[in-house]
Amino acid sequence: MSQLGQVVGILRKLNDEYQMSTPKKLKLIDAYLVYVLLTGIIQFVYCLLVGTFPFNSFLSGFISTVGSFILAASLRIQLNKANQSTFNVSPERAFADFVFAHVILHLVVMNFIG
Amino acid sequence: MTSTSLMRIIIFILPIFSWYITSTIASNLNIVNLNGLKAQFQTAIKSFSDVASLHYTLGGVKELGVQLPDSHCNDIKKLVDKSNVESIYHATEAAKTLVNCKLPAEDYRSTLTSVLQSDESKTADIYYAVCSSVNLGLNIDESNIEKRLNTLAKTDDSILSQAYGLLTGAQLSQPIAKYYADTINDLVQQADEIDGRILQYEGGIGTTAFIVNSFYEVAEKAGVSIKTDPKQLIKFATYFSSKRHVATLRSAYYLTKVFKHLCDNKNPVPIVVSRISPSAISPQNPSVLVSITNLLGQPVGEMSVVAESAKRKEDGVVVISKQKLISKASDFSVYELPFYDTKIPRGFYTIHLTLTARNEGKLIGLTDNIIDVKVTSEGTIENAELIVADRDHGAQSKTYKLTYPNAQSDKLELDYHQKLTVKFQIKDKQSDEFMPVQQAFLRFTNKQSKKEIIYLAEATDNGNSQYKVEVDLTTNANDFRYQSDKYELVLILGDSLLQNAYEWILNNNVHLTFHEDSLPDKDYKNLYLPRQEIIHQFREDEKRPPNIVAFVFSTLALLPLLILLILWLKLGFNLSGLPLGLSPLGFHISHGAAFALMFFYWKYLDMFQTIRYLALISIPLFLFGHRVLSTLAARREKKA
């Protein structure tokens, strides 16, 4: 019981810390990440329920969510001021990369969706 | 080895070799099927279609010793064609066989003279003309004909033409006939030898008989004997006697004539040696009976017949040597050789016979005669056992000893975890040894459906020939088609050297029980009936979930978008910092266009078109994007 209480306490602390220290921009991106994750999970559940036909459509949808998640996550990393030392890229450049990569991702997804 | 010495060796060896070849091939002469020939002529007598058939039938029947009535003379006169020399020839020859049939010679004189004078005539035509003239009693100019034949011989040297030349010579004076008789040996050399046993001429049996007959006719007219190697004559005789039936009347007629010549005591007569007792020697049939006749089955006088050797085919063991055969018939046509002896082991034997004629005669084919016999023996089945064992625990087994011919009295029940083994040996009564047999089978007969399932019994390779056959009711179950039923068990044994064969019912009531359900018997008749028609089935579409489920999940997938908007609003998402102007507008429009293109790609376009449009859109996208971002970057710098 105490273990559970400990875990809950840690989580609450984590949440408070997060709410306070994260800049708004990053929080927006986190919300977007959650959205993409939810979409991916729903697609996966659907596939488990009704089977994999047509497999290519499932794959393209799933890969689209996964790809978007990854690109958004990498954008977040690049925009985080704490990482300024590792990356030497301006936020605008990161955003441009994000858009460019998304165009390619959508091209591939649309090709595969069938 | 130098080439000259090699040549010398070859020259020495080759004749010896060829002598061995020719001398060890036995004469395969058979007695002629006279009845067949007679029947063929008799069917032909019933109706005649042309004068050639008349000639052949009447001539053939006359050779066989039957005289036909003169009424056929009218048939001849009706069918003859006065303008055709061959037709006239057949007519005159046919008329010659009847007692009193006179043909009007004057009607044919003109045709015959024109043929004899024409330069177009072939040797055959000359022969027909000459023979017809002689038959009709017309005069012929012998020297002229001789000249014609000589000219023709230069232009046409085929065998048939030469034969016709011989026949024409036989119709002329004796010196001319003698000249042609001297060429017989050359003609014999031109015959084709097959397998070293048969001599024939191209054209089949009829032509060969015709040519050989011409030899005899011209030799007879010349008053000389046929001076050919007896071996060649035997080869001709082998060829002639090998045909049981001939197709045409011509072949039948000339064959009959040749056989009569070959059985005429004036000429060399081939001897036919054949076995007339059954081929198996046993205590009930202890001797070999041999018949010695000519080709027509007539006796040839007293002979001394000696069995030079009797060798077993398997190992060449000689059991008889230089034993004289005893004459059994008063006309000296049947001879006996006592063969059976308990000391002679079973096997296939080849007896070589040599004949010596008592009287001076022209008999040929006296040496190298072979008779084949087999010595059989009685066998007994010994040490027969039937073993029922468990498949897995081989040690648990029940052995039943069986004695021929008793069957097992009680029923035998076997099921799928047992196996049945039958063991036995066969002993040769005479030699007291165990012997292998050619057929050893174990047969199961389904008592209801009468289906038979047969297994082969195999023997060990060592001397005692122990036979064993094993039937496992699980591995062999498919042979029975898993039909659990009552079966009859029979052991079948047989061998060509065994006097008695065995069909021993081991058990009449064997219950077999199999593990699987029984399958029906394969209906072998159905294999050849038309099969079921296969209707092409197109690939079925995969099953898809109902539309409702898909719709629900689609809306469910769009739900997170709502959640996202709510979250963003909560976080304070605003468009306050949005720059306004051409570049931002251009950026947003081209960005939107890129994603609109994606939609169109999905619905209408293909990859190449999309790439082109994308390339087009990406130019403004890049330009405007760059401008917007640099504006934003400048704004940020200013703030900081």
Side-chain angles (χ1 to χ4, degrees):
Chain A
M1 273 310 172
S2 61
Q3 264 189 334
L4 189 64
Q6 270 187 333
V7 170
V8 171
I10 290 173
L11 280 177
R12 193 167 294 174
K13 210 166 156 213
L14 198 66
N15 189 29
D16 290 337
E17 185 71 34
Y18 172 75
Q19 297 288 14
M20 269 198 293
S21 60
T22 334
K24 197 167 79 168
K25 242 190 219 173
L26 295 181
K27 278 199 199 146
L28 287 173
I29 294 177
D30 287 336
Y32 175 68
L33 283 171
V34 167
Y35 152 65
V36 168
L37 189 71
L38 279 177
T39 319
I41 287 171
I42 289 175
Q43 283 189 340
F44 190 65
V45 164
Y46 177 73
C47 169
L48 283 177
L49 278 180
V50 297
T52 57
F53 185 79
F55 197 50
N56 57 317
S57 310
F58 160 68
L59 271 183
S60 81
F62 195 66
I63 282 170
S64 136
T65 57
V66 167
S68 306
F69 190 87
I70 291 168
L71 288 173
S74 67
L75 181 67
R76 187 185 189 284
I77 290 171
Q78 287 177 326
L79 289 180
N80 198 347
K81 297 223 175 42
N83 292 339
Q84 200 76 25
S85 53
T86 341
F87 296 100
N88 198 9
V89 61
S90 63
E92 283 72 36
R93 174 66 195 280
F95 183 69
D97 287 340
F98 176 76
V99 168
F100 177 64
H102 255 286
V103 169
I104 292 178
L105 175 69
H106 279 90
L107 185 68
V108 170
V109 161
M110 282 304 164
N111 184 29
F112 204 49
I113 205 161
Chain B
M1 198 171 282
T2 62
S3 59
T4 40
S5 52
L6 192 65
M7 282 292 286
R8 235 175 263 153
I9 291 177
I10 293 175
I11 287 172
F12 274 122
I13 291 184
L14 215 53
I16 300 173
F17 191 59
S18 58
W19 178 78
Y20 263 114
I21 297 275
T22 49
S23 68
T24 52
I25 301 233
S27 54
N28 295 11
L29 290 177
N30 305 311
I31 295 189
V32 170
N33 183 13
L34 262 187
N35 291 333
L37 289 169
K38 268 194 203 149
Q40 200 169 355
F41 291 132
Q42 267 158 359
T43 2
I45 287 180
K46 295 198 183 104
S47 70
F48 292 109
S49 50
D50 59 314
V51 70
S53 326
L54 247 181
H55 166 208
Y56 294 136
T57 315
L58 291 179
V61 164
K62 179 97 187 263
E63 290 283 335
L64 292 175
V66 178
Q67 181 63 46
L68 286 177
D70 280 352
S71 53
H72 291 294
C73 198
N74 298 326
D75 295 324
I76 301 175
K77 290 187 188 150
K78 258 195 298 192
L79 290 169
V80 73
D81 175 8
K82 297 199 181 88
S83 57
N84 183 332
V85 69
E86 190 178 345
S87 178
I88 300 173
Y89 157 71
H90 285 304
T92 55
E93 286 284 302
K96 212 166 63 169
T97 65
L98 298 172
V99 172
N100 194 359
C101 182
K102 293 264 184 292
L103 294 173
E106 288 308 314
D107 291 354
Y108 311 122
R109 189 195 285 271
S110 50
T111 326
L112 296 176
T113 349
S114 61
V115 165
L116 284 172
Q117 283 169 349
S118 153
D119 283 328
E120 307 272 317
S121 306
K122 298 259 181 321
T123 328
D125 300 320
I126 300 289
Y127 167 61
Y128 294 144
V130 169
C131 190
S132 312
S133 306
V134 170
N135 288 344
L136 292 170
L138 298 172
N139 286 330
I140 43 175
D141 184 355
E142 291 205 359
S143 55
N144 196 12
I145 293 174
E146 206 185 334
K147 270 195 231 115
R148 290 299 311 286
L149 286 176
N150 286 337
T151 350
L152 277 169
K154 290 193 193 77
T155 52
D156 183 2
D157 63 350
S158 71
I159 306 243
L160 259 183
S161 163
Q162 293 183 56
Y164 278 115
L166 257 73
L167 285 171
T168 320
Q171 298 291 330
L172 304 174
S173 64
Q174 201 189 9
I176 303 178
K178 190 152 189 319
Y179 164 72
Y180 279 105
D182 288 335
T183 66
I184 289 179
N185 217 10
D186 296 329
L187 282 175
V188 171
Q189 298 304 323
Q190 288 178 49
D192 305 320
E193 189 170 310
I194 314 251
D195 284 344
R197 289 174 44 232
I198 281 179
L199 268 179
Q200 66 174 62
Y201 287 104
E202 215 178 278
I205 186 94
T207 313
T208 314
F210 170 74
I211 296 171
V212 175
N213 176 52
S214 71
F215 299 162
Y216 282 103
E217 283 208 12
V218 77
E220 196 179 316
K221 184 63 189 275
V224 299
S225 62
I226 297 199
K227 295 187 210 64
T228 34
D229 188 2
K231 289 201 183 61
Q232 316 274 58
L233 275 179
I234 291 192
K235 285 182 194 160
F236 275 122
T238 314
Y239 180 57
F240 294 136
S241 71
S242 67
K243 304 278 174 197
R244 299 294 296 165
H245 297 280
V246 284
T248 60
L249 278 175
R250 176 174 173 267
S251 309
Y253 170 60
Y254 285 113
L255 257 188
T256 317
K257 290 197 83 163
V258 161
F259 284 134
K260 293 238 44 190
H261 285 303
L262 283 171
C263 298
D264 192 341
N265 284 324
K266 297 194 308 256
N267 303 320
V269 175
I271 300 292
V272 179
V273 175
S274 50
R275 165 175 52 77
I276 50 180
S277 57
S279 69
I281 305 286
S282 59
Q284 294 78 28
N285 179 32
S287 310
V288 183
L289 287 173
V290 173
S291 97
I292 314 257
T293 61
N294 64 7
L295 277 167
L296 289 174
Q298 299 157 337
V300 285
E302 205 180 333
M303 293 266 206
S304 136
V305 187
V306 173
E308 294 288 333
S309 67
K311 281 195 202 151
R312 195 157 96 157
K313 274 205 189 140
E314 230 178 336
D315 46 16
V317 164
V318 176
V319 294
I320 283 182
S321 187
K322 298 211 187 313
Q323 188 167 335
K324 191 157 183 274
L325 275 77
I326 311 158
S327 167
K328 296 294 283 186
S330 56
D331 58 353
F332 301 108
S333 63
V334 179
Y335 294 82
E336 182 185 3
L337 173 71
F339 200 84
Y340 179 73
D341 192 305
T342 44
K343 290 199 272 317
I344 296 182
R346 70 169 195 284
F348 289 96
Y349 289 89
T350 313
I351 306 173
H352 285 266
L353 295 173
T354 314
L355 287 71
T356 329
R358 240 348 115 71
N359 330 325
E360 276 305 311
K362 293 174 167 188
L363 300 172
I364 54 177
L366 296 178
T367 51
D368 309 319
N369 291 296
I370 286 184
I371 301 282
D372 284 322
V373 291
K374 68 178 183 185
V375 175
T376 58
S377 62
E378 224 184 302
T380 50
I381 307 183
E382 310 237 327
N383 305 328
E385 296 176 335
L386 195 145
I387 305 166
V388 176
D390 203 78
R391 279 189 80 231
D392 304 314
H393 319 291
Q396 296 176 9
S397 64
K398 266 181 99 178
T399 311
Y400 302 93
K401 289 224 181 294
L402 306 163
T403 26
Y404 180 77
N406 307 321
Q408 272 189 319
S409 45
D410 8 86
K411 73 174 179 191
L412 195 63
E413 278 189 351
L414 296 168
D415 58 35
Y416 60 92
H417 61 71
Q418 288 174 310
K419 63 180 186 191
L420 178 73
T421 313
V422 176
K423 288 190 187 166
F424 57 91
Q425 283 177 300
I426 300 127
K427 193 193 262 201
D428 181 344
K429 255 198 193 158
Q430 260 84 296
S431 62
D432 233 21
E433 292 171 338
F434 291 119
M435 57 182 270
V437 286
Q438 289 168 337
Q439 292 179 326
F441 303 118
L442 186 70
R443 185 180 74 200
F444 286 85
T445 313
N446 187 322
K447 290 181 97 165
Q448 209 184 11
S449 66
K450 301 280 177 275
K451 193 173 80 134
E452 297 175 350
I453 301 103
I454 300 181
Y455 292 97
L456 183 67
E458 288 178 7
T460 54
D461 270 333
N462 54 3
N464 62 358
S465 298
Q466 166 82 272
Y467 277 91
K468 186 170 112 152
V469 56
E470 204 173 272
V471 179
D472 185 328
L473 263 71
T474 309
T475 17
N476 297 114
N478 195 17
D479 298 337
F480 295 87
R481 303 290 280 170
Y482 304 103
Q483 290 169 2
S484 308
D485 245 327
K486 293 200 204 93
Y487 288 85
E488 184 189 49
L489 190 62
V490 174
L491 185 68
I492 301 172
L493 298 171
D495 190 273
S496 55
L497 293 175
L498 210 58
Q499 253 177 294
N500 42 345
Y502 295 93
E503 196 181 353
W504 179 15
I505 301 177
L506 296 175
N507 193 319
N508 199 9
N509 203 359
V510 178
H511 286 243
L512 297 177
T513 318
F514 296 102
H515 186 51
E516 289 85 355
D517 293 329
S518 72
L519 296 174
D521 290 328
K522 279 190 204 165
D523 190 357
Y524 290 98
K525 285 189 245 163
N526 269 354
L527 282 176
Y528 302 100
L529 295 176
R531 303 278 177 100
Q532 232 182 354
E533 193 178 325
I534 302 170
I535 300 173
H536 179 76
Q537 285 187 324
F538 289 98
R539 186 169 68 100
E540 277 174 15
D541 287 337
E542 307 245 353
K543 261 180 39 167
R544 287 189 178 210
N547 285 350
I548 306 288
V549 178
F551 189 67
V552 164
F553 268 89
S554 308
T555 35
L556 219 59
L558 291 173
L559 208 64
L561 196 63
L562 220 66
I563 297 172
L564 176 70
L565 284 172
I566 293 170
L567 274 172
W568 270 357
L569 286 172
K570 258 187 68 182
L571 287 168
F573 177 79
N574 55 5
L575 294 170
S576 59
L578 198 69
L580 293 164
L582 179 66
S583 303
L585 195 68
F587 170 70
H588 285 296
I589 288 176
S590 45
H591 197 210
F595 287 106
L597 180 66
M598 289 301 130
F599 174 75
F600 283 112
Y601 174 38
W602 178 44
K603 286 288 257 178
Y604 309 112
L605 302 170
D606 65 46
M607 183 56 111
F608 300 104
Q609 294 167 309
T610 316
I611 294 278
R612 283 191 213 117
Y613 286 130
L614 196 62
L616 222 60
I617 289 176
S618 62
I619 297 168
L621 181 66
F622 183 69
L623 276 168
F624 291 128
H626 184 69
R627 288 223 188 111
V628 167
L629 286 173
S630 44
T631 322
L632 280 174
R635 207 194 280 179
R636 192 167 47 83
E637 295 279 303
K638 229 180 22 188
K639 234 199 269 181

